[in-house]
Amino acid sequence: MSRPAKAAGKGRKLSNFLCFAVYSANLAFGRAYKPLLDKVGLTYTQYIAMVALSDEDEQTVSALGEKLFLESNTLTPILKKLEQMGYIRRHRDPDDERQVLLSLTSAGRKLIEQDLGEAVIEATGLGDEFPAVQKTVSRLRDNLLRNTKPR
Amino acid sequence: MSRPAKAAGKGRKLSNFLCFAVYSANLAFGRAYKPLLDKVGLTYTQYIAMVALSDEDEQTVSALGEKLFLESNTLTPILKKLEQMGYIRRHRDPDDERQVLLSLTSAGRKLIEQDLGEAVIEATGLGDEFPAVQKTVSRLRDNLLRNTKPR
DNA sequence: TGTATTTAGATCGTATCCGATTTAATCGGA
DNA sequence: TCCGATTAAATCGGATACGATCTAAATACA
């Protein structure tokens, strides 16, 4: 759970755990987005996948997975749902039939471009700190992934 | 997804989204703890629940839920599993049969006291920044929850 | 060429999250 | 006192995460 080495003894309180702060902040983000995403019929993860797909067309499932830190076991069902909703296209690469290429449809791109979540920036209450916090948390993530055995 | 207002236009990149940083940092924490928790047969969420329960004995499910930002629909199955594993006790409050009171068993307390996750602190690579980051992320969470309709 | 190996997705089972509903116990007002 | 409203857990269904396994396609190399 990772807490500061100093806060020993009786200080084993939940609030001292950085991993809990991140865990609960993630839940809080999900709830902040919920009302916005309900309007377009997407879940939080589906939306994150759409944003990642908006980076470029014809990404493979693996490439998307590297961006999201997820694998095909999690992504395949999500991608099939998004395809079924008409927001993305999935088709096998003719040059390598093992790979599936992903692209947003025009409907999908339109949805991403209306830029939901602008309102959530306000709700973070971070003001000018916003970019610094974003960088710090990203660095934390990268450190953890680097210092953890790949499996 | 909340990104800085400045990064408009083509800057709709995943890396600009704070919510994604938090989402992926949470996944990274789960993976960092995985090898440690596998040894004691706990999942990440189960361990977080145990830490929260170590705060005090005879907490209700609701009280625990407030700490974890979860409700009985999520907690009940987890608590039953922990009870079955012998780490906690669950019993109805005689004074109000609607409530279930929760306590760590001695086995559960012993597990928490061996202080897993000391190693994960190192893996965060935050050094002296650790307490500041913990506070900032907690504040972010609290802001989001406060600025989001309770449902 | 032929077969072992590797690779990309997909599938399956388990464990969260969470909205909605249900059940049982308690409370409250006429 | 009696019955409707409230409350605490539990249950149910849908959607992630993720380890393990499977299948099919591509690659390696003897």
Side-chain angles (χ1 to χ4, degrees), chain A residues 13-26:
Chain A
K13 288 176 59 64
L14 204 56
S15 57
N16 289 332
F17 286 86
L18 176 56
C19 77
F20 177 68
V22 171
Y23 162 89
S24 52
N26 183 49

Side-chain angles (χ1 to χ4, degrees), chain B residues 39-55:
Chain B
K39 291 188 180 123
V40 295
L42 286 181
T43 66
Y44 187 51
T45 308
Q46 286 166 359
Y47 182 59
I48 289 182
M50 297 267 295
V51 173
L53 286 172
S54 75
D55 269 359

Side-chain angles (χ1 to χ4, degrees), chain A residues 63-99:
Chain A
L64 177 64
E66 275 180 38
K67 291 183 180 177
L68 300 183
F69 308 97
L70 294 175
E71 290 166 48
S72 67
N73 53 4
T74 301
L75 286 176
T76 296
I78 295 171
L79 294 170
K80 283 185 173 178
K81 177 65 68 115
L82 288 173
E83 178 185 42
Q84 172 198 322
M85 290 191 282
Y87 289 138
I88 72 170
R89 271 186 304 273
R90 293 165 70 244
H91 67 93
R92 293 278 167 180
D93 183 346
D95 294 338
D96 186 342
E97 292 279 346
R98 290 174 305 182
Q99 302 187 346

Side-chain angles (χ1 to χ4, degrees), chain A residues 27-80:
Chain A
L27 291 183
F29 262 120
R31 289 170 198 193
Y33 272 100
K34 186 77 171 55
L36 302 171
L37 291 176
D38 276 349
K39 291 188 180 125
V40 295
L42 286 181
T43 66
Y44 187 51
T45 308
Q46 286 166 358
Y47 182 59
I48 288 181
M50 296 268 294
V51 173
L53 286 172
S54 75
D55 269 0
E56 59 178 321
D57 283 341
E58 305 288 279
Q59 292 184 73
T60 64
V61 174
S62 307
L64 177 64
E66 275 180 38
K67 291 183 180 177
L68 300 183
F69 308 97
L70 294 175
E71 290 166 48
S72 67
N73 53 4
T74 301
L75 286 176
T76 296
I78 295 171
L79 294 170
K80 283 185 173 178

Side-chain angles (χ1 to χ4, degrees), chain A residues 75-135:
Chain A
L75 286 176
T76 296
I78 295 171
L79 294 170
K80 283 185 173 178
K81 177 65 68 115
L82 288 173
E83 178 185 42
Q84 172 198 322
M85 290 191 282
Y87 289 138
I88 72 170
R89 271 186 304 273
R90 293 165 70 244
H91 67 93
R92 293 278 167 180
D93 183 346
D95 294 338
D96 186 342
E97 292 279 346
R98 290 174 305 182
Q99 302 187 346
V100 170
L101 301 179
L102 309 164
S103 297
L104 292 186
T105 61
S106 56
R109 192 161 297 280
K110 185 153 67 168
L111 188 149
I112 289 301
E113 278 166 5
Q114 64 184 81
D115 220 340
L116 279 88
E118 201 66 36
V120 177
I121 299 178
E122 197 62 34
T124 63
L126 292 179
D128 293 343
E129 287 180 90
F130 195 107
V133 175
Q134 190 276 327
K135 275 172 95 108

